[in-house]
Amino acid sequence: MAVEQLLILIKPDGVKKSLTGNILTKLSEARMVIIGSKTVKVSRELAEKHYWQLKDKPFFPELLDYIQGKIFGGAPWDRVLAFVYQGEDAIARMRKIAGATNPEEADPISIRGAYGRITTKGVYENVVHCSSEISEAEREIKLWFKPEEIVYNIYPTKEITIENKKETAWA
Ligand code: DAT
Ligand code: MG
């Protein structure tokens, strides 16, 4: 079996319900390594790019509001915790621990089965995002993380020079 990487997000409902520790504990059962992690305030643009394959679905606007934490009133629930995990057969194994997309159909021992719900507006609040195939994992990891934010170069990189680029530094 091959070593794979994937993106896991603890979505705003997981953050708001203080489930970060419980989720990471469940994920740790798979004995994989975290090779990148950070907290991200989710912009509309990032949300749209992340879920672009679902742009024609009727629930797309609600899905963007959810991943941006807007349905929880914005700050401090406007963020997600993002992780890159690496391990043998990582995608299938982590998706099993995450559970089915619909939290009501998910195994009750899975993260989504234990902690997810469907809102009265029909949004699946399913607590975590988990990449579902290798090409999607690569696209998502490259969308959420810069090369220097991951401890290994898991994909080829190139050096670029950006002229006159402003950066914020610690004062
Ligand atoms: P997954 O997150 O299991 O990979 P997906 O990529 O098909 O599932 O959908 C992305 C998210 O969109 C999913 O986590 C919850 C939401 N979603 C999917 N299908 C839905 C539906 N029929 N009604 C409401 N939300 C849905
Ligand atoms: Mg998906």
Side-chain angles (χ1 to χ4, degrees), residues 28 39 48 61 68 71 106 109 118 124 150 152 154-155 159 171:
S28 72
T39 304
E48 281 173 2
Q68 288 194 281
I71 59 173
I109 302 300
I118 301 178
Y124 291 0
I150 299 179
Y152 317 119
I154 52 175
Y155 307 117
E159 299 302 317

Side-chain angles (χ1 to χ4, degrees), residues 49 53 61 82 91 99-101 104 140 143 158 162:
K49 283 186 179 162
Q53 284 148 315
I91 294 173
T101 304
E104 302 215 330
E140 292 174 354
L143 176 64
K158 62 181 178 185
I162 300 167

